[in-house]
Every structure is written in C-alpha cells, then in structure tokens.
Amino acid sequence: MSAQARTARRRSLPLTAGCVLVGLVVAVAVVSLFWVPFTPDDTSGDRLMPPGLPHLLGTDKLGRDLLTQLMIGARIALAAGAGSVVLGGVIGLAAGLAAGFATRWLDDVVSALLDILIAFPTLLLAMLVAATQTASLTSAIVAIGLAMSAIVARLTRVLVKRVLAQDYITASRTSGTSWPRVIAEHVLPNIWPTLTVNLALQFGLAVLAEASLSYLGLGAPPPNASWGRMLAEAQASVFIAPVGVIAPGVLIVLLVVGVNLVADGLRDVADPTRRRRRR
Amino acid sequence: MSLLEVAGLHVRAAGGRDLVSDLSFTVEAGERFGLIGESGSGKSLTALAIMGLLPPGMTASGSVVFDAPGTDRTEVVGAPERRLTRLRGQVTSVVFQEPLTALDPLMRIGRQVAEPLRRRQGLRGRALDKAVLAALEEVRLAEPRRIARAYPHEISGGQRQRVAIAMALACRPALLIADEPTTALDVTVQAEVLALLDGLVAERSMALLFISHDLAVVAGLTDHVLILKDGAAVESGSALDVVNDPRHPYARELVDSARVLDAALDRLKGGGTP
Ligand SMILES: Nc1ncnc2c1ncn2[C@@H]1O[C@H](COP(=O)(O)OP(=O)(O)OP(=O)(O)O)[C@@H](O)[C@H]1O
Ligand SMILES: [Mg+2]
C-alpha cells in the first residue's frame, strides 16, 4: 500500500514540477493584469540601470522598467503558446482525423498539401498573414497556429491509421459500435497520449516562434513587450546590462521546460501501460 | 431459411488478386460449422467479409445473406454501413485470434465489457455494473471484481480471451464467429477455453462458426466442416465424414497429421460435446 503510494508520488513528480513552473508564469501573468510596478511606456527611468530601487530588475535602453516588461511578457508568451496550440490543435486534429479516415486518393491529396505546408517557412507564412492585416499578437498566433496545424495533422493522420489497423477497433465494430462512438471511445483516447506530448512541444516552439516574430516586428507591437523582443533589444548591451538578456531568456526556458514536464506527467497518467514500466 | 447463406463469395485484394474465391456454405440456426485451413488460406478474411469489415482496399463480391429471427433478411455485400452496424452484434459477433490486441489497452476491462451490454440491453448504472460482473462470472473468471478494474496488460492471455468471449456473448448474437480463439494460448488453457466456448454455445443454442487450422479441434467441436486451401474450398461435409473418409489429398493430409494427435482429439470429444 505504502509502496504503491510512493510510486504514485514518484510518477507525479514531473507533473508537480511542471505545474509549479507553469503556475509561476501564469501567476505573474495574472498579477500583471491588475498591477505592474510602472506603466509599460513609462521611460522616466535612467537608461540601462542595474537592479535596485525603484526599478527592481533595472531598466532597458529606453529607461523602461524591466520587471514591468517581463510581467507583461509572461502574458504574451502564454497567449502565444496557448492560442497557437488551440488553433493548431483543433485544425490539425480535424484535418488529421479526416485524412486518416479518407479514401486512398483523398488521403494522398491531403498528405501532399500537408507536406507543402510543413516545408513552407513559418516566418514567410507570418509575413503573409501580417500583410493582410497589421502585425499584432493575433496575426502572429494565426501564423504560428496554421503552421502548427500541418504538423499536428500529419502526426494525427499517422496515429489514426495505426490505431484503425488494431484488432480492438474491428472488435468494437463487430459488436455494432457506430463510427462516431468508435472515434470517441477508442481512437481519440489512444492517440491522445502521444498527441499531448507533441502539443506541449509545440507550445514551447510557439513561444519561441512568437519571440522570433516579435524580433522581426511581426509580433505584438510596443509598448507590449514580448520576451523575444526584449531579448533582441537587449542583446547589444548584454555586457553592460546582462539582466536584460538573462531574465527573459531564463523565463522562456522555465516556461518551455515546465510545459514539457506537464505533458510528460499527463501522458503517464493517461497511459496505464506506462505506469508500471516507470517503477 | 438458413441463418447465414454464403454463395459465390470472392474477396479481392487491392491489386486484383483473389484471396478468397467462389466460397459457398450455409450455417443453420444453432448449428456449429467449422472452417479449416492452413495459415494464409483466407479464413480470417472470410470471417471479416461475412461481417462486412474487410480492410480498406479489399472488395467482396458474391452474396452473404443473414436471416435471423427478429431482424430483416440482410445482404451484407454492398450494404450501407448503417445497415451493417445494426446487424453486427445483434446477429453476429466475433472472438478474435489475438486476445491482447483485441482489447483496447487504455480501457479498463469492466468498461469494455459494459459497452455492448449498455448498447444491446440498454442497461445503466448499478444494473450495468452487476451485468458486467455476471458476464465475467459466466466465462468462469475467478475474481471478476479485480478483472473488471484491471487493464488488459494486467491479466493473462487466457483471461483476456475469456473477456473477449464475454464481450462477444454480451451482444446475444444468433451467430458467434470464433477466429482461432485459442491459437495464442498454451495447450491446457486452450482446452479450458474450448470447453467453455462449447458449453456457452450449447446453453444459448447459438450458431457457431469456428475457425482453426487444427482439424482435431474443429472436428471435436462442430457438426459440419469446410476445408479451405489458398482461398478456395477443397472439401466439405459433416465432421464425421470428413475425418473418416477424406477425398481431397489436402484433406487426407490434414486427417493424417491429426491422427497423430488422436489422444488430444479423444480428450476433447470426451470432455466437450454433449
Ligand atoms: N490487409 C491485407 N492486405 C493484403 N493482403 C492481405 C491482408 N490481410 C490478409 N491478406 C492476405 O490474404 C490471405 C489470407 O489471409 P487471412 O488473414 O485470411 O489468413 P488466415 O487463413 O486467417 O491465416 P492465419 O491462420 O495465419 O490467421 C493471405 O495470403 C494474406 O497475405
Ligand atoms: Mg487468421
């Protein structure tokens, strides 16, 4: 009994650690909605100040408070990650399921389309999306989400095909289960563990992609700082004011690692055959 | 009218190759029919074609007609999916060759057994839980409560096949198709599962289509047999006739090799069929 409890606790360790990391970033983002030390466009401070008072983490090259920017950046990073994963996940899952069930030629067409879309650089896609509207966090999320949907769709398609070839699908159908029920009860639960891990990975990549898009001016416009743009703007003065580079860099890593730990933990919970093997 | 009437059944692969050719047989209500053939002779494909469940790309032609009491006469070949979904489970159900892969690895046994019970018998809540345990007890599973809570990888091969049988029976089909249900099991468990299947089919006066490469097993369990080679029937008749007086050289070969296992045959006959 106690041994069982111990393995259960050990199993949930990555999940717990991941939740703490992600929870920290979420907490900062929530606080930033109600309170930040300074306004983001307040350039009243001296330039490139080191950590101290009243600017706890110092200022950037325009004299803006770094802590304020980091807090607002948390909001943007989470929105970019979650927005792209939801958009890319929903479109990708739907397209992948359709391709997985499609007849041979339709499957071939969809697969070819997906390959083209995956080969298409996300950056170029983002520029195209930004060209139709002004560059904003939304246009960045749409571009990243679309690019992601192709990857998710291709993975879903392969997973669906693999599950559909299994005897338990045929077994369920022999007892007269209709297709929608087979999908809901057997196909989705069986592709979910792998898909979750991939979506978490994509979440991390989306945070990084938004950072690079912001760097190119294709993301959230100033004064709303994204961690990526903070990195880009601070890189010239890294030796004078290292905090400006280290702080957003560390936060990006913490968020990405946290999300991956959560995904890993969730997969272990979702897949009973892994619970034993982990010991 | 026969329960199942297969006439001139062909199964064609995506490339156009005939995997099953011109197969005809009938199964009467309550009859036990054996399908024998070596590995790759098309036994499983025949079973899938009867259910309208051929893998994508394969096509069936000819005729497969079900005529069960309480349902309309149905031609399976070319029937729409909706019609087939109603037929499956209600009229016929399958126990598969490989008991591990026939169960969803991520679903507790209890929920998998509950699925057909809920749909076919409209059971819910406490009544459903009770019916699940009863279904597991019926296939002589000790500790049904533990098994209901277990995942497929947590129980033995023999237990899995009993669960698969329980699921197939939960549909209360008029015809049970058993596709080499014991091939993946060791000999003692094999005999137990066969005896169980034998008893359950007799209790419910279900028809049985039993598939195997093992003539001894089939002859001990069924009334009529059909021998399949490379997708075509080479011999058919009553189990006794085929065993005593095989005509086709391949049938004779099968009988000869079965004689070696005579002891096993006798044991099954003694402990099995009434
Ligand atoms: N999905 C498939 N695509 C193409 N050919 C297939 C497919 N499934 C089976 N076949 C072929 O059809 C033939 C009959 O296969 P089937 O599974 O019916 O054999 P079987 O009699 O059940 O053999 P076993 O005793 O090994 O189960 C084999 O030659 C096999 O290679
Ligand atoms: Mg087979």
Side-chain angles (χ1 to χ4, degrees):
Chain A
M1 189 59 214
S2 74
Q4 220 167 13
R6 224 175 304 132
T7 38
R9 201 172 316 132
R10 204 174 313 147
R11 186 202 322 143
S12 61
L13 195 69
L15 190 61
T16 314
C19 284
V20 167
L21 289 180
V22 175
L24 214 68
V25 177
V26 170
V28 169
V30 169
V31 169
S32 83
L33 289 173
F34 304 105
W35 176 82
V36 280
F38 293 83
T39 56
D41 51 357
D42 181 351
T43 54
S44 62
D46 289 333
R47 294 174 178 193
L48 297 175
M49 268 168 59
L53 282 172
H55 300 285
L56 282 178
L57 287 179
T59 57
D60 70 0
K61 63 182 178 191
L62 295 177
R64 294 177 298 197
D65 182 54
L66 267 182
L67 183 59
T68 303
Q69 301 214 48
L70 281 174
M71 288 175 73
I72 292 173
R75 216 153 74 191
I76 293 176
L78 285 175
S84 331
V85 163
V86 168
L87 186 70
V90 168
I91 298 178
L93 191 62
L97 275 174
F101 278 95
T103 53
R104 187 81 163 276
W105 68 267
L106 186 61
D107 183 27
D108 286 348
V109 171
V110 174
S111 302
L113 275 176
L114 290 180
D115 283 343
I116 294 172
L117 217 77
I118 287 170
F120 207 75
T122 309
L123 228 53
L124 201 57
L125 195 65
M127 286 178 181
L128 288 176
V129 173
T132 61
Q133 51 186 111
T134 51
S136 67
L137 181 60
T138 313
S139 75
I141 289 176
V142 169
I144 299 168
L146 281 182
M148 190 190 297
S149 70
I151 295 168
V152 173
R154 193 164 65 168
L155 177 66
T156 305
R157 175 184 161 274
V158 173
L159 292 174
V160 166
K161 292 235 168 217
R162 205 171 61 192
V163 169
L164 285 184
Q166 301 287 318
D167 275 349
Y168 58 81
I169 299 293
T170 317
S172 176
R173 292 181 66 205
T174 55
S175 66
T177 316
S178 60
W179 268 125
R181 274 205 90 99
V182 172
I183 294 175
E185 306 230 328
H186 298 292
V187 178
L188 288 180
N190 274 285
I191 66 175
W192 196 240
T194 314
L195 213 55
T196 326
V197 175
N198 186 264
L199 285 178
L201 197 71
Q202 301 289 341
F203 185 104
L205 292 176
V207 171
L208 296 176
E210 192 280 330
S212 11
L213 288 180
S214 295
Y215 178 78
L216 294 171
L218 292 171
N224 288 327
S226 103
W227 291 341
R229 216 186 53 233
M230 290 178 66
L231 267 179
E233 286 177 356
Q235 74 183 15
S237 49
V238 62
F239 295 113
I240 312 163
V243 178
V245 175
I246 292 169
V250 165
L251 283 173
I252 290 175
V253 171
L254 286 185
L255 179 58
V256 172
V257 168
V259 170
N260 277 291
L261 285 175
V262 169
D264 214 32
L266 284 181
R267 177 178 53 179
D268 287 354
V269 173
D271 187 347
T273 59
R274 288 178 61 93
R275 288 179 201 168
R276 272 243 192 106
R277 243 179 280 140
R278 278 232 151 185
R279 248 173 307 134
Chain B
M1 222 34 248
S2 311
L3 172 61
L4 167 66
E5 201 169 331
V6 177
L9 176 69
H10 284 260
V11 175
R12 209 149 286 154
R17 201 159 53 97
D18 256 1
L19 296 173
V20 173
S21 37
D22 201 21
L23 195 61
S24 302
F25 62 91
T26 56
V27 180
E28 307 294 332
E31 192 194 334
R32 293 141 166 252
F33 193 94
L35 204 56
I36 311 169
E38 61 192 354
S39 184
S41 54
K43 306 182 298 288
S44 295
L45 287 183
T46 304
L48 290 176
I50 289 171
M51 307 284 294
L53 279 173
L54 285 175
M58 284 194 198
T59 49
S61 60
S63 147
V64 174
V65 175
F66 275 105
D67 196 0
T71 52
D72 303 333
R73 203 179 129 85
T74 308
E75 167 65 64
V76 171
V77 178
E81 180 68 21
R82 186 191 294 259
R83 184 92 191 75
L84 291 175
T85 303
R86 223 174 325 141
L87 187 76
R88 293 178 199 136
Q90 202 166 355
V91 176
T92 175
S93 188
V94 185
V95 179
F96 283 90
Q97 198 162 346
E98 184 42 72
L100 179 55
T101 56
L103 299 174
D104 187 331
L106 299 190
M107 203 186 264
R108 287 179 203 275
I109 302 290
R111 256 191 81 197
Q112 303 200 44
V113 177
E115 204 176 290
L117 286 171
R118 190 175 45 207
R119 199 178 40 249
R120 289 279 291 128
Q121 295 172 30
L123 298 173
R124 296 286 183 280
R126 204 170 283 264
L128 181 60
D129 293 343
K130 255 198 185 146
V132 167
L133 291 181
L136 292 177
E137 267 163 17
E138 214 167 36
V139 291
R140 316 280 187 276
L141 277 166
E143 301 184 275
R145 269 165 217 285
R146 179 181 74 83
I147 300 235
R149 273 196 309 271
Y151 287 96
H153 73 277
E154 295 171 337
I155 62 177
S156 76
Q159 289 172 330
R160 277 178 213 137
Q161 199 57 296
R162 282 166 197 265
V163 169
I165 292 172
M167 284 172 68
L169 291 179
C171 298
R172 307 247 175 267
L175 171 69
L176 180 72
I177 302 178
D179 185 356
E180 307 203 46
T182 59
T183 307
L185 308 176
D186 70 52
V187 182
T188 44
V189 182
Q190 228 179 66
E192 281 169 26
V193 171
L194 284 177
L196 171 74
L197 204 58
D198 192 32
L200 289 171
V201 169
E203 258 168 45
R204 288 146 202 251
S205 53
M206 260 186 296
L208 174 70
L209 176 57
F210 191 88
I211 299 178
S212 175
H213 60 262
D214 191 338
L215 179 67
V217 167
V218 175
L221 207 61
T222 61
D223 323 316
H224 276 81
V225 297
L226 183 147
I227 300 181
L228 209 58
K229 186 168 170 39
D230 299 329
V234 294
E235 179 140 355
S236 73
S238 86
L240 227 60
D241 288 350
V242 171
V243 170
N244 289 331
D245 181 21
R247 306 238 167 73
H248 191 276
Y250 177 63
R252 225 170 292 145
E253 202 181 305
L254 275 179
V255 172
D256 286 344
S257 56
R259 291 244 181 267
V260 180
L261 300 165
D262 226 9
L265 180 67
D266 283 344
R267 198 178 60 227
L268 279 166
K269 268 190 174 155
T273 29

